[in-house]
Amino acid sequence: MKLENIDVKKQTIFIPDSISKDRKDALITLPEVVLDLLNELKIMQKPHDCYIFGKDFETCRTIGHNKMFSNYWDRFIVSDKGLLPQLKGKHVCFYSLKGTGITKMLKSGVASIAVRDQARHQHITTTEIYAQRQQLKAPEVLKNYK
């Protein structure tokens, strides 16, 4: 993913079909916390043709290999001295964070359709699998609907 795909003003990142898992263009919302991190790390000050995570996780013009993410996760996140050592041996992969984010959005009341679009699920039923992980309750907005 290149910096030229990020629109800070619109809080979006464009994922071109050429690198998308479903081979379709997508526009994804970037939460403020992500934009704050990009700003704090001065990533957006780099040339726009740089990859966000290039070689050795540097923002540079050399693309990084996708295996580096799983290696980094194993070495620096879930290792004994990593950021989340409590996850060691629990087979929590980097991709699991997406599921956690989906569940948190649903719990906080974000509409399923908006979560589906953000997660880029083809069908709402896929998104609703994550809703089943939480304790379901009647939506307050529907209780007094006439």
Side-chain angles (χ1 to χ4, degrees):
M1 190 63 55
K2 289 189 175 184
L3 295 179
E4 62 195 18
N5 298 101
I6 297 174
D7 188 324
V8 174
K9 289 181 184 174
K10 293 181 181 176
Q11 284 189 239
T12 59
I13 187 164
F14 174 72
I15 301 172
D17 61 0
S18 60
I19 63 169
S20 171
K21 67 179 182 180
D22 62 1
R23 299 291 176 221
K24 295 179 184 176
D25 289 342
L27 194 64
I28 304 299
T29 304
L30 289 175
E32 285 183 18
V33 66
V34 173
L35 294 174
D36 290 345
L37 183 59
L38 291 173
N39 187 44
E40 182 180 327
L41 297 174
K42 296 180 172 67
I43 289 175
M44 295 309 296
Q45 295 176 12
K46 303 278 184 166
H48 279 39
D49 62 340
C50 286
Y51 291 95
I52 297 170
F53 299 111
K55 185 178 179 199
D56 300 323
F57 279 107
E58 294 291 324
T59 302
C60 65
R61 290 187 171 103
T62 306
I63 192 167
H65 190 275
N66 60 3
K67 180 83 170 119
M68 73 179 178
F69 290 101
S70 60
N71 290 343
Y72 184 88
W73 180 261
D74 292 342
R75 286 185 68 196
F76 300 108
I77 305 299
V78 298
S79 68
D80 289 332
K81 295 182 181 180
L83 296 173
L84 300 170
Q86 65 272 27
L87 297 179
K88 184 177 181 179
K90 294 188 178 180
H91 308 292
V92 177
C93 64
F94 181 76
Y95 189 78
S96 299
L97 298 177
K98 180 180 176 185
T100 302
I102 292 167
T103 303
K104 285 179 76 175
M105 283 188 275
L106 291 168
K107 278 185 177 181
S108 71
V110 176
S112 295
I113 197 81
V115 176
R116 179 206 64 186
D117 292 346
Q118 182 73 1
R120 299 186 56 233
H121 293 150
Q122 188 171 5
H123 300 287
I124 193 74
T125 53
T126 304
T127 307
E128 290 171 348
I129 291 169
Y130 294 91
Q132 294 170 12
R133 293 181 183 174
Q134 61 180 313
Q135 185 178 17
L136 298 176
K137 59 184 178 182
E140 293 297 320
V141 69
L142 297 178
K143 286 184 177 178
N144 298 316
Y145 184 78
K146 295 179 184 188

